[in-house]
Amino acid sequence: MAWPSLTYTELILYIPCLLLFFYYLYNIYLVFRLSPNWPLVGMLPSLLANSDRVHDWLAEILQLENGNFYLRGPWFPGMKLFVTADPADVHHILTQNFQNYPKGDEFVEIFEALGHGVFNSDGQLWRFQREKLQLTTSQKCFCTFIGKTTQEKIENSLLPFLSETVERSLVIDLQDMFSRLSFDMTCILAFGTDLGSLSTDFPAVPFAQAVDDATATIFFRISRPSAWWKLLKFLQFGQEKRTAKSRVVGERFIAEVIEKRKREMIEGRHACPDLLGSYLCDENIPNSNKFLRDSVVNFLVAGRDTNSSGLSWFFWALSQNQKTEEKILHELSSVHHSTTLEGMAIFDQEELENLVYFKAALLETLRLFPPVPFNFKSVLKPDILPSGSGVTPDMKIIPSAYAMGRMETIWGKDCMEFKPERWISESGTLRHVPSHKFLAFNAGPRTCLGKSMALTQMKMVAAAMVYNFCFQVVEGQVVAPALSIVLHMKNGLMVRVRRRTSI
Ligand code: HEM
C-alpha cells in the first residue's frame, strides 16, 4: 500500500500538532514522575518511579512547591510526612519552637542500635549527654589529641596505603578507603585504640561490619511500615536477623573495651584523653556499662560515616573541577608543611586554619552533598509554620538538607554548580551562611557537636592527599547517591592513583 502523500499545508498543520502531542505526553510524564500524592495510592507511583533517586526527587518537588509539601500514602498507613527545605520553617522547627519538635518515641525505636545515646534521646537525658560531650570535646587536651592522632594516622597509615597503591598500580575505591580511615580515626578518639582497618589487605573488621549492619537496619526500618519491620524482628528474619547477630558482636566488643579501660584505670595505667577515658575519670558521669556503651556507639556513628561521605564527595567534586584543585594546591603551597621520611608533605591543623579557598571548597561540597541528607522530627502540639503550613502530632517532619543545598531561592540560579567562590566575600574572608540555610551540620540546640572536629580532620586528610598524589576517576562509572541515612555513593568511587611530581 502506498503512503498517502501530504500537501505542504497539511504538513504545516501536522507538525505543530505532533509537537503539541509530544509536549502533552512529556507533561504527563513529568507530573507522574514528580507529583507526590495520587488519589488512593498516595505517593506510591511517584516513589516507585523515583526509587533510585529519592533525594533528587524530593529536591525537585521542593523546588516546584516553593520549599515544602505534604507526603501521604498507603506506603506508611496512617502516616503523614511534611517535607521542608524552607529556611523560615526550618528555623522555626529546629530553633524557635524547638521544644515542640522532639525526635520522638518512633525515632528511638527505629534507631534502637544507638540505645539512649545523645542522638537518640530527648529532654533531660539528651541535655545531660550533650553537655558532657560538649565539655569533653571542647577541652584543650581533646583538641590537641584530635590534631596529633589525625596527623599520626595520615603519616603511618594513609600515605603508606596510597604509596603502596601506586607501586602496585591498584585501582581503589576511595569511598571504602575513607570509610576505613574514618573508622580507625573515630575509634582512636572514642576509646584510644586503632583497629587498623585501613590497609591494602582490606581486612574484615567484625566491629566495623556490626556498625555497618546497624546503619543499614536503620534505613531498612525508616523505609518500611513499622508493623512490617516489627514482625520481621519478632520472627527474626532477613535484615532484622542480621541486625540481632551483629548487635551481639558489637556489644561484646564494646564491653571488652570498657572492661579493659576500667582495669587500666584501677592499675593507674590510664593517660589517654579519648572520650571513654575522659568519661571514666569524670565522677559526674554514670559508670554503668550501658551508659558508656551508648556514648561510645553514638560517637562512632556520628563521626565515622559523615566524615567519609564528605571526603568522598569532595574528591568527586575535585575530579570534576580541575580549577578548584589547582587553586587549593596554590593555597597549600603558601603554608608551611613538615616532610615524612619518604619525602611526603603533611600539614598540621594550625597551618590549615586560615586557608579560605580550601575551606570554601569543603563547605561547597557539603552544601551539594550533605552527609546527613535528611532529618526526622515529631510534632508534640499542632502548630502553624511561618510558611502557613499546619502540622499536627500525627505527622512526621523531614527537613531535607540535600534539597536545601539545591534551592534556587537560597543559593541563586547557579545553585546546581560547584562554586567555592560563593562562600568568599568581597573582602576575601569566608561568608557566614546561617545554619537554617546551610543545614549540613543541622541547626539550633541539636547542631552537630563535631563540626569543627570534622572540618579539622577532613582538611588534614584532604591536604595530604591532594598535595602528594593525583587521583584519576575511572571512566564510565555512575557516581550517584545511595539510598541510606548517610549520603554514600551507590557504586563507590573507583580511582587510579599517581604520585604528584609538581605543584
Ligand atoms: C562532615 C561531617 C559531619 C556532618 C556533616 C555532621 C552532621 C550532623 C547532623 C546533620 C547532625 C544532626 C543529626 C540529627 O539530629 O539526627 C549531627 C549531630 C551530631 N553530630 Fe555531627 N556531623 C559530622 C561529623 C561529626 C563528628 C566527626 C562528630 C564527632 C564524633 C559528630 C558528632 C555529632 C553529635 C554528637 C551529634 C548529636 C547532636 C545532638 O543531637 O545534640 N559529628 N551531625
Side-chain angles (χ1 to χ4, degrees):
M1 193 179 71
W3 285 98
S5 57
L6 296 173
T7 62
Y8 272 126
T9 329
E10 280 171 326
L11 254 180
I12 287 167
L13 284 174
Y14 181 68
I15 290 175
C17 286
L18 202 66
L19 287 176
L20 259 176
F21 176 68
F22 281 121
Y23 178 70
Y24 179 69
L25 276 187
Y26 179 66
N27 272 307
I28 291 183
Y29 163 78
L30 274 189
V31 170
F32 174 70
R33 205 166 154 85
L34 289 182
S35 171
N37 289 315
W38 287 70
L40 295 175
V41 286
M43 65 182 269
L44 192 55
S46 316
L47 181 67
L48 289 178
N50 292 280
S51 56
D52 58 336
R53 54 186 293 280
V54 166
H55 299 305
D56 286 302
W57 172 61
L58 291 179
E60 282 161 18
I61 300 171
L62 286 165
Q63 193 79 264
L64 283 178
E65 301 280 337
N66 286 328
N68 46 50
F69 69 98
Y70 297 95
L71 211 152
R72 300 187 178 93
W75 197 245
F76 307 98
M79 185 165 168
K80 299 178 199 162
L81 301 176
F82 178 72
V83 190
T84 180
D86 176 330
D89 283 0
V90 168
H91 188 45
H92 180 87
I93 294 161
L94 298 181
T95 307
Q96 287 172 324
N97 202 7
F98 171 73
Q99 299 297 348
N100 195 44
Y101 299 96
K103 295 226 166 175
D105 295 342
E106 202 170 329
F107 187 94
V108 177
E109 280 183 347
I110 289 176
F111 284 69
E112 190 185 4
L114 302 183
H116 291 95
V118 62
F119 259 114
N120 214 16
S121 48
D122 287 308
Q124 277 305 100
L125 182 58
W126 162 72
R127 195 170 294 283
F128 174 77
Q129 301 195 65
R130 184 169 171 100
E131 281 168 8
K132 282 295 166 198
L133 193 54
Q134 198 158 20
L135 203 69
T136 307
T137 54
S138 60
Q139 271 168 12
K140 182 97 183 71
C141 64
F142 196 82
C143 299
T144 315
F145 184 57
I146 297 171
K148 182 173 164 287
T149 53
T150 307
Q151 194 157 2
E152 283 169 2
K153 189 71 191 167
I154 292 171
E155 182 168 355
N156 301 330
S157 295
L158 176 64
L159 296 180
F161 173 93
L162 289 169
S163 296
E164 196 179 333
T165 304
V166 176
E167 274 163 30
R168 292 169 55 191
S169 307
L170 298 176
V171 171
I172 53 161
D173 177 1
L174 265 196
Q175 175 168 261
D176 179 47
M177 187 200 84
F178 285 132
S179 177
R180 289 168 181 274
L181 175 70
S182 298
F183 180 72
D184 290 349
M185 290 197 310
T186 319
C187 285
I188 296 172
L189 297 181
F191 47 81
T193 308
D194 183 351
L195 294 185
S197 71
L198 179 64
S199 143
T200 42
D201 310 336
F202 300 97
V205 178
F207 179 53
Q209 187 56 49
V211 179
D212 281 345
D213 281 346
T215 30
T217 302
I218 292 170
F219 187 77
F220 177 81
R221 290 183 179 180
I222 285 179
S223 51
R224 276 144 187 97
S226 60
W228 178 242
W229 68 255
K230 282 180 185 167
L231 177 70
L232 294 186
K233 185 179 169 195
F234 176 74
L235 297 173
Q236 279 300 292
F237 199 74
Q239 180 67 32
E240 292 292 338
K241 186 176 176 191
R242 269 194 297 286
T243 296
K245 274 191 182 166
S246 52
R247 212 170 156 180
V248 174
V249 174
E251 287 187 359
R252 192 179 301 144
F253 177 82
I254 301 254
E256 281 168 15
V257 168
I258 294 173
E259 282 316 313
K260 181 168 167 270
R261 293 306 297 276
K262 280 186 173 172
R263 271 200 310 278
E264 286 171 0
M265 287 277 300
I266 294 167
E267 292 162 9
R269 283 194 289 121
H270 153 76
C272 196
D274 58 77
L275 182 83
L276 182 57
S278 310
Y279 275 20
L280 285 170
C281 293
D282 187 337
E283 287 168 0
N284 297 319
I285 287 191
N287 206 348
S288 80
N289 281 3
K290 176 163 172 9
F291 182 87
L292 294 170
R293 183 199 70 200
D294 288 353
S295 303
V296 168
V297 169
N298 276 252
F299 189 82
L300 275 176
V301 169
R304 181 227 185 168
D305 284 351
T306 45
N307 266 0
S308 70
S309 155
L311 280 165
S312 304
W313 288 107
F314 178 69
F315 275 84
W316 164 243
L318 287 195
S319 74
Q320 303 301 298
N321 297 276
Q322 189 65 37
K323 281 264 168 296
T324 301
E325 191 179 67
E326 283 165 18
K327 285 185 184 173
I328 291 174
L329 280 169
H330 179 69
E331 234 186 18
L332 286 174
S333 60
S334 70
V335 295
H336 170 77
H337 64 254
S338 47
T339 310
T340 67
L341 290 176
E342 290 72 33
M344 281 191 264
I346 301 198
F347 299 83
D348 76 26
Q349 63 190 118
E350 283 86 30
E351 281 152 9
L352 301 173
E353 201 55 46
N354 300 321
L355 301 189
V356 173
Y357 187 84
F358 187 19
K359 185 158 179 192
L362 275 172
L363 295 176
E364 182 67 346
T365 305
L366 298 174
R367 172 182 79 87
L368 284 169
F369 305 106
V372 183
F374 59 84
N375 202 327
F376 262 98
K377 288 279 170 187
S378 299
V379 184
L380 279 186
K381 291 188 195 144
D383 195 11
I384 303 288
L385 301 176
S387 62
S389 318
V391 290
T392 46
D394 58 346
M395 286 180 185
K396 291 279 169 286
I397 299 194
I398 303 190
S400 166
Y402 186 86
M404 277 195 104
R406 289 152 190 259
M407 291 295 283
E408 234 177 86
T409 44
I410 303 175
W411 303 98
K413 284 246 174 285
D414 60 358
C415 59
M416 299 304 283
E417 287 172 41
F418 181 83
K419 265 195 185 173
E421 290 74 12
R422 76 174 80 243
W423 291 89
I424 303 173
S425 70
E426 274 158 24
S427 61
T429 53
L430 267 177
R431 219 183 268 283
H432 170 73
V433 179
S435 51
H436 57 273
K437 291 187 175 173
F438 172 56
L439 201 56
F441 291 100
N442 212 23
R446 290 197 93 128
T447 295
C448 172
L449 276 176
K451 180 177 174 182
S452 78
M453 189 190 316
L455 289 171
T456 298
Q457 290 189 323
M458 287 169 73
K459 277 196 278 185
M460 290 174 77
V461 167
M465 286 177 64
V466 172
Y467 205 81
N468 295 302
F469 297 94
C470 306
F471 299 88
Q472 189 195 359
V473 171
V474 173
E475 277 179 23
Q477 61 184 311
V478 177
V479 177
L483 280 182
S484 164
I485 52 165
V486 174
L487 200 74
H488 292 303
M489 291 167 173
K490 209 184 277 181
N491 310 307
L493 184 61
M494 304 308 292
V495 296
R496 287 191 187 84
V497 192
R498 279 190 296 112
R499 266 306 291 271
R500 191 178 288 284
T501 46
S502 63
I503 302 295

Short mmCIF file of all heavy atoms in Angstrom, two decimals, residues 21 23-24 84 88 129 249 312 376 387-388 419 483:
data_model
loop_
_atom_site.label_atom_id
_atom_site.label_comp_id
_atom_site.label_asym_id
_atom_site.label_seq_id
_atom_site.Cartn_x
_atom_site.Cartn_y
_atom_site.Cartn_z
N PHE A 21 1.38 17.18 20.80
CA PHE A 21 1.05 15.87 21.37
C PHE A 21 2.21 15.37 22.25
O PHE A 21 2.02 14.95 23.38
CB PHE A 21 0.76 14.88 20.23
CG PHE A 21 0.50 13.49 20.71
CD1 PHE A 21 -0.65 13.19 21.44
CD2 PHE A 21 1.40 12.47 20.44
CE1 PHE A 21 -0.90 11.91 21.90
CE2 PHE A 21 1.17 11.18 20.88
CZ PHE A 21 0.02 10.90 21.61
N TYR A 23 4.56 17.21 23.58
CA TYR A 23 4.70 18.11 24.73
C TYR A 23 3.72 17.69 25.83
O TYR A 23 4.06 17.64 27.01
CB TYR A 23 4.43 19.54 24.27
CG TYR A 23 4.50 20.56 25.38
CD1 TYR A 23 5.73 20.87 25.97
CD2 TYR A 23 3.36 21.18 25.86
CE1 TYR A 23 5.81 21.79 27.01
CE2 TYR A 23 3.43 22.10 26.90
CZ TYR A 23 4.65 22.39 27.47
OH TYR A 23 4.71 23.29 28.51
N TYR A 24 2.50 17.33 25.41
CA TYR A 24 1.45 16.91 26.34
C TYR A 24 1.88 15.62 27.06
O TYR A 24 1.82 15.49 28.28
CB TYR A 24 0.17 16.69 25.53
CG TYR A 24 -1.01 16.23 26.33
CD1 TYR A 24 -1.62 17.07 27.26
CD2 TYR A 24 -1.52 14.94 26.16
CE1 TYR A 24 -2.70 16.63 28.01
CE2 TYR A 24 -2.60 14.50 26.90
CZ TYR A 24 -3.19 15.34 27.82
OH TYR A 24 -4.24 14.90 28.56
N THR A 84 10.30 19.58 54.19
CA THR A 84 10.56 21.01 54.03
C THR A 84 12.02 21.34 53.73
O THR A 84 12.93 20.66 54.22
CB THR A 84 10.08 21.82 55.26
OG1 THR A 84 10.35 23.20 55.05
CG2 THR A 84 10.76 21.38 56.54
N ALA A 88 12.68 29.51 56.67
CA ALA A 88 11.90 30.06 57.79
C ALA A 88 11.26 28.92 58.59
O ALA A 88 11.28 28.91 59.83
CB ALA A 88 10.84 31.01 57.26
N GLN A 129 23.63 14.47 78.24
CA GLN A 129 24.67 13.86 77.41
C GLN A 129 25.33 14.88 76.49
O GLN A 129 26.53 14.85 76.27
CB GLN A 129 24.06 12.74 76.56
CG GLN A 129 23.43 11.67 77.43
CD GLN A 129 23.19 10.42 76.63
OE1 GLN A 129 24.11 9.77 76.18
NE2 GLN A 129 21.93 10.08 76.44
N VAL A 249 27.79 -9.04 68.32
CA VAL A 249 29.23 -8.83 68.04
C VAL A 249 29.66 -7.45 68.55
O VAL A 249 30.67 -7.30 69.27
CB VAL A 249 29.52 -8.92 66.52
CG1 VAL A 249 30.96 -8.58 66.20
CG2 VAL A 249 29.17 -10.30 66.01
N SER A 312 34.60 11.67 50.38
CA SER A 312 34.38 11.01 49.08
C SER A 312 33.81 12.01 48.07
O SER A 312 34.28 12.11 46.93
CB SER A 312 33.40 9.84 49.21
OG SER A 312 33.85 8.93 50.17
N PHE A 376 14.68 13.69 60.92
CA PHE A 376 13.30 13.34 61.29
C PHE A 376 12.90 14.10 62.55
O PHE A 376 13.67 14.15 63.49
CB PHE A 376 13.22 11.86 61.66
CG PHE A 376 12.74 10.99 60.55
CD1 PHE A 376 13.64 10.31 59.77
CD2 PHE A 376 11.39 10.85 60.29
CE1 PHE A 376 13.21 9.50 58.74
CE2 PHE A 376 10.94 10.05 59.27
CZ PHE A 376 11.85 9.37 58.49
N SER A 387 5.58 29.37 56.92
CA SER A 387 5.10 29.30 55.53
C SER A 387 3.57 29.23 55.47
O SER A 387 2.98 29.26 54.39
CB SER A 387 5.66 28.04 54.85
OG SER A 387 5.18 26.88 55.53
N GLY A 388 2.92 29.11 56.65
CA GLY A 388 1.46 28.99 56.68
C GLY A 388 1.00 27.54 56.72
O GLY A 388 -0.20 27.26 56.87
N LYS A 419 30.68 25.85 43.09
CA LYS A 419 31.39 27.15 43.02
C LYS A 419 31.86 27.55 44.41
O LYS A 419 31.13 28.24 45.13
CB LYS A 419 30.40 28.22 42.54
CG LYS A 419 30.40 28.49 41.08
CD LYS A 419 29.65 29.79 40.88
CE LYS A 419 29.47 30.10 39.42
NZ LYS A 419 28.60 31.27 39.27
N LEU A 483 20.79 4.91 48.54
CA LEU A 483 19.66 5.07 49.45
C LEU A 483 20.12 4.65 50.84
O LEU A 483 20.29 3.48 51.13
CB LEU A 483 18.51 4.16 49.02
CG LEU A 483 17.67 4.69 47.89
CD1 LEU A 483 16.55 3.74 47.59
CD2 LEU A 483 17.12 6.06 48.25
#
